[in-house]
Amino acid sequence: MSFDAVDARGLTKVYGRQRALAGVDLTLRAGEATALLGPNGAGKSTLVGILSTLVSPTSGQVRYGDADVQDDALRGSIGVIAHESLCYGDLTGKENLEFFARLYGVDNARGAAAALLERVGLVDAASRPARTYSRGMMQRLAVARALVHQPRLLLADEPFTGLDRSGVVLLSELLAEERARGVIMVVVTHDFDAVASLIDRVVVLARGRVAHDGPAPAARSTSALADVYRAAVQS
């Protein structure tokens, strides 16, 4: 399924007496990398869950191009890097990627899996069960899983967690490649160093609302991004 924008209007989410989102409006565009920032409890993961169709909003609507139908065709166009790897520990790295490639109907699933294993630096561990992987290796596999079907919308929730510096550099390169491919990208992170030069736009959530939504700082530096963040959460 192809679409060039994701448009969220009036999103709220209530868990019991706790309001996670309180009326979020947001438009995401193709070829644009958006940093979604905010303090703990601001609603970032809830918003990502709704955009991924894995969480239903209490009210409001998300449209993917002209569609708002949350069906298998739509989900097949979304890639998610979540807090959990979503990979199977008893399968090897190679088997995991081939399984997900086939699940998404990727042509030449074996070739797609092999190419991504090489790209994320897991060729030497491809035949090992994923449960034997280190935290950083598992995160690399999770990134490959999210990209194996070339998603139209890529949602990355704290994707740099568990990665060493070489892994952070690799993932930053992969995200830049995806942006150049024209995907719609959202990156939730506290690692301003990793995304300062990558992002086109900054959205800051605070208390379940959009406190800031604008272009990335012209300086494209960590300090400039931190200044935008602090100003938004303190307002």
Side-chain angles (χ1 to χ4, degrees):
M1 181 176 178
S2 181
F3 47 89
D4 291 326
V6 175
D7 191 46
R9 287 293 172 262
L11 292 183
T12 70
K13 183 63 180 180
V14 178
Y15 297 99
R17 296 183 177 180
Q18 180 182 357
R19 184 178 293 272
L21 295 179
V24 169
D25 295 331
L26 185 65
T27 300
L28 306 167
R29 301 176 182 85
E32 183 178 71
T34 299
L36 180 59
L37 311 177
N40 292 335
K44 303 183 300 297
S45 291
T46 297
L47 178 56
V48 168
I50 292 173
L51 294 174
S52 71
T53 77
L54 299 177
V55 175
S56 298
T58 302
S59 63
Q61 184 184 51
V62 182
R63 295 188 65 84
Y64 304 80
D66 295 329
D68 60 1
V69 178
Q70 297 183 5
D71 60 12
D72 290 342
L74 173 59
R75 290 186 174 125
S77 299
I78 300 173
V80 179
I81 305 171
H83 292 284
E84 301 296 330
S85 72
L86 307 180
C87 296
Y88 294 94
D90 288 334
L91 297 182
T92 68
K94 177 175 177 288
E95 289 169 341
N96 264 285
L97 290 193
E98 289 184 5
F99 169 76
F100 282 104
R102 292 191 178 98
L103 186 68
Y104 284 114
V106 174
D107 293 334
N108 188 12
R110 182 173 297 179
L116 269 171
L117 285 166
E118 182 173 2
R119 186 67 182 88
V120 300
L122 290 177
V123 171
D124 291 342
S127 297
R128 284 170 43 191
R131 58 180 163 76
T132 68
Y133 286 10
S134 68
R135 178 68 182 88
M137 292 168 68
M138 186 63 85
Q139 187 67 1
R140 289 178 183 235
L141 184 62
V143 170
R145 173 198 51 73
L147 298 179
V148 72
H149 58 300
Q150 295 189 319
R152 190 70 184 126
L153 171 63
L154 178 61
L155 303 167
D157 194 352
E158 296 294 352
F160 302 100
T161 301
L163 294 176
D164 58 16
R165 288 315 301 175
S166 65
V168 170
V169 170
L170 172 65
L171 178 53
S172 297
E173 292 174 352
L174 282 168
L175 293 178
E177 290 170 7
E178 291 300 299
R179 181 185 63 175
R181 188 169 65 83
V183 305
I184 304 165
M185 186 187 307
V186 177
V187 182
V188 179
T189 185
H190 289 95
D191 190 343
F192 293 174
D193 286 339
V195 298
S197 63
L198 168 72
I199 58 172
D200 305 292
R201 181 176 169 208
V202 181
V203 173
V204 182
L205 288 186
R207 298 174 294 279
R209 300 182 183 276
V210 176
H212 174 87
D213 184 353
R220 292 297 183 96
S221 67
T222 301
S223 60
L225 184 55
D227 288 343
V228 170
Y229 173 77
R230 282 193 294 267
V233 299
Q234 292 171 4
S235 61

